[in-house]
């Protein structure tokens, strides 16, 4: 029985119960239905790059989704269909090689395509919801395969209605991309535009966009590579908190906030400048997104920080990532996350939320 420390990018977690790897869509469906017919607990595993599992492991059935394949529509429309177990970065590489724009900024995100909608993956100004048309989904309640449109998935900033992971299994995805003669989508992230030497909103060759994103990600330990200790993580451990505009005004004047959804912004505005509203909720109050990294650093937690005797540390390249510095336990990862959360909350009154899915653990 393998341990989750071998199955997840953070390299922590105990035994993976009864693990079944399903390599075709039919096998995924048959295995899930058989699990659901048993009294035991169950969970779905993709690439394990957004999961933190307890040291006790998971005592139940684990379905590893491994069905692969990418097909381009044959009628000339720039659409692709992807089997859920396909590694996400292979999908981006396929799109770029086929001259299709819309996901090049999502280069280098680890994990499987099927997990993409679960937290609506995003980076460098693009997010899956910009291009997702629909998913084929095996529904736990009915046991039927249904096609769910993107609008039915509740996709938001690093979330969806599927994020609990217990509603069923994503079997495949359909994406609508753009064919603009080998050019990328408009570059929507200031740091990426600057690396490419263009202004935000311009297009560049797709391969240039992909290469620049991968280089930026590597510099932050955000391309998973066991040889890079700063990447032995679950990516960003905390999401950027979204607070009311009134609350944000009470923070220090230099607290950055992000001007646009969904990603950390092309423009970071100082508090007090014209309000870049994210949304007006029912109460009528405008919301704004803060920088979790800024809050953590200002709470006195620097890159590389570690609690005494713990194998868990803040990445030395990226404040938002908690890394397994070698031999860390899941308990140590959570202990550091709670420490960060507590420091930020007592300093600023903002409670950071974890981005990865926790199994058998809570903050
Ligand atoms: C170094 C690093 C960098 C990262 N950078 C980013 C980033 O830039 N942007 C970003 O958004 N994320 C990022 N992540 C997080 C992660 O890569 C994504 O969330 C990814 O989509 C997770 O895919 P996975 O297959 O590994 O999912 P897992 O970790 O295996 O699973 C995550 C959740 O999805 C569920 N799940 C998985 N597959 C399915 C399926 N087929 N059907 C139903 N439920 C399923 C699981 O049950 C679990 O609840 C990063 C992670 C790492 C380690």
């Amino acid at each position: 029985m393998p341990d989750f420390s071998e199955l997840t990018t953070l390299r922590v977690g105990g035994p993976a119960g009864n693990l079944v790897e399903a390599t075709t869509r039919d096998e995924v469906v048959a295995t899930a239905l058989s699990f659901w017919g048993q009294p035991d607990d169950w969970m779905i595993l993709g690439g394990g790059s957004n999961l933190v599992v307890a040291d006790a492991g998971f005592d139940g059935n684990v379905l590893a989704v491994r069905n692969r394949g990418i097909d381009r529509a044959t009628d000339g429309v720039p659409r692709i269909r992807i089997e859920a177990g396909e590694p996400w970065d292979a999908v981006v590489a396929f799109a770029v090689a086929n001259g299709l724009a819309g996901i090049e900024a999502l280069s280098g995100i680890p994990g499987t395509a099927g997990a993409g909608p679960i937290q609506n993956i995003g980076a460098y100004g693009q997010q899956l919801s910009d291009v997702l048309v629909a998913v084929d989904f095996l529904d736990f309640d009915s046991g039927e395969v249904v096609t769910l449109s993107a609008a039915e998935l509740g996709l938001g900033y690093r979330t969806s209605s599927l994020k609990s992971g217990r509603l069923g299994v994503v079997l495949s995805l359909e994406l609508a991309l753009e064919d603009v003669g080998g050019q990328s989508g408009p570059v929507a992230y200031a740091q990426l535009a600057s690396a490419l030497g263009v202004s935000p909103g311009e297009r560049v060759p797709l391969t240039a966009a992909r290469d620049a994103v991968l280089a930026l990600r590597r510099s932050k330990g955000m391309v998973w590579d066991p040889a890079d200790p700063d990447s032995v993580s679950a990516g960003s451990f905390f999401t950027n908190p979204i607070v009311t505009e009134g609350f944000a005004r009470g923070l220090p004047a230099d607290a950055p906030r992000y001007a646009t959804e969904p990603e950390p912004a092309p423009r970071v505005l100082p508090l007090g400048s014209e309000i870049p509203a994210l949304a007006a909720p029912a109460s009528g109050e405008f919301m704004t997104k803060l920088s979790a990294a800024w809050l953590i650093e200002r709470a006195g937690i620097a890159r590389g920080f570690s609690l005494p005797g713990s194998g868990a540390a803040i990445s030395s390249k990226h404040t938002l990532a908690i890394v397994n510095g070698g031999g860390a336990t899941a308990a140590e990862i959570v202990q550091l996350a709670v420490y960060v959360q507590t420091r930020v909350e007592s300093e600023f009154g903002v409670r950071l939320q974890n981005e990865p899915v926790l199994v058998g653990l809570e903050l």
Side-chain angles (χ1 to χ4, degrees):
M1 187 188 296
D3 278 3
F4 276 102
S5 58
E6 301 155 51
L7 298 166
T8 60
T9 53
L10 190 51
R11 295 289 189 240
V12 299
N18 171 41
L19 176 79
V20 176
E21 301 216 344
T23 56
T24 65
R25 183 185 168 114
D26 287 350
E27 270 177 37
V28 173
V29 171
T31 308
L33 292 176
S34 124
F35 283 178
W36 296 343
Q38 299 168 30
D40 306 293
D41 204 356
W42 59 276
M43 66 173 278
I44 310 294
L45 175 68
S49 64
N50 211 29
L51 268 178
V52 190
V53 183
D55 296 310
F58 178 76
D59 184 18
N61 292 316
V62 181
L63 167 55
V65 176
R66 301 284 177 257
N67 53 319
R68 295 190 60 172
I70 310 173
D71 289 312
R72 185 176 178 171
T74 48
D75 55 4
V77 178
R79 288 202 177 202
I80 58 174
R81 183 186 169 83
I82 312 144
E83 293 298 307
E86 189 68 33
W88 172 255
D89 194 53
V91 179
V92 181
F94 176 94
V96 168
N98 280 270
L100 301 177
I103 52 174
E104 58 283 355
L106 306 181
S107 293
I109 297 180
T112 56
I118 307 299
Q119 75 154 1
N120 186 23
I121 51 172
Y124 294 98
Q126 289 180 346
Q127 57 179 349
L128 186 64
S129 54
D130 300 336
V131 295
L132 185 66
V133 177
V135 300
D136 280 0
F137 187 72
L138 179 66
D139 182 47
F140 174 72
D141 282 337
S142 66
E144 301 288 328
V145 176
V146 290
T147 299
L148 300 175
S149 70
E152 292 174 276
L153 297 176
L155 300 167
Y157 164 60
R158 288 307 83 73
T159 193
S160 77
S161 52
L162 304 177
K163 197 159 179 183
S164 77
R166 311 271 309 165
L167 300 179
V169 192
V170 175
L171 301 170
S172 60
L173 283 66
E174 190 181 351
L175 308 185
L177 302 173
E178 210 189 352
D179 186 348
V180 273
Q183 295 290 105
S184 69
V187 177
Y189 192 81
Q191 193 185 28
L192 178 60
S194 146
L196 287 160
V198 297
S199 300
E202 287 185 46
R203 295 179 190 266
V204 297
L206 276 166
T207 47
R210 175 164 165 79
D211 291 349
V213 168
L214 287 172
L216 280 171
R217 293 185 68 93
R218 276 199 195 93
S219 72
K220 299 176 186 176
M222 283 289 153
V223 173
W224 194 73
D225 174 0
D228 174 2
D230 280 313
S231 77
V232 183
S233 72
S236 298
F237 204 93
F238 298 104
T239 53
N240 288 318
I242 296 175
V243 299
T244 63
E245 193 52 44
F247 181 89
R249 285 183 191 285
L251 293 171
D254 59 338
R257 59 197 179 154
Y258 292 133
T260 52
E261 275 280 65
E263 272 302 298
R267 290 177 304 139
V268 177
L269 306 182
L271 287 177
S273 53
E274 197 177 328
I275 298 168
L278 291 182
S283 66
E285 191 156 22
F286 286 97
M287 308 299 284
T288 196
K289 195 197 296 181
L290 303 174
S291 160
W294 186 92
L295 294 168
I296 294 169
E297 281 163 22
R298 278 302 189 89
I301 298 169
R303 292 177 188 183
F305 174 85
S306 176
L307 293 168
S310 170
I314 302 292
S315 159
S316 70
K317 299 190 185 118
H318 188 328
T319 319
L320 277 187
I322 293 182
V323 300
N324 180 347
T329 61
E332 287 171 345
I333 300 289
V334 166
Q335 183 188 35
L336 178 55
V338 169
Y339 180 83
V340 170
Q341 216 182 22
T342 308
R343 287 284 294 265
V344 168
E345 190 164 15
S346 61
E347 191 71 25
F348 298 111
V350 177
R351 190 163 180 79
L352 296 179
Q353 303 296 325
N354 52 292
E355 183 180 305
V357 174
L358 308 182
V359 176
L361 298 163
E362 55 185 49
L363 296 194

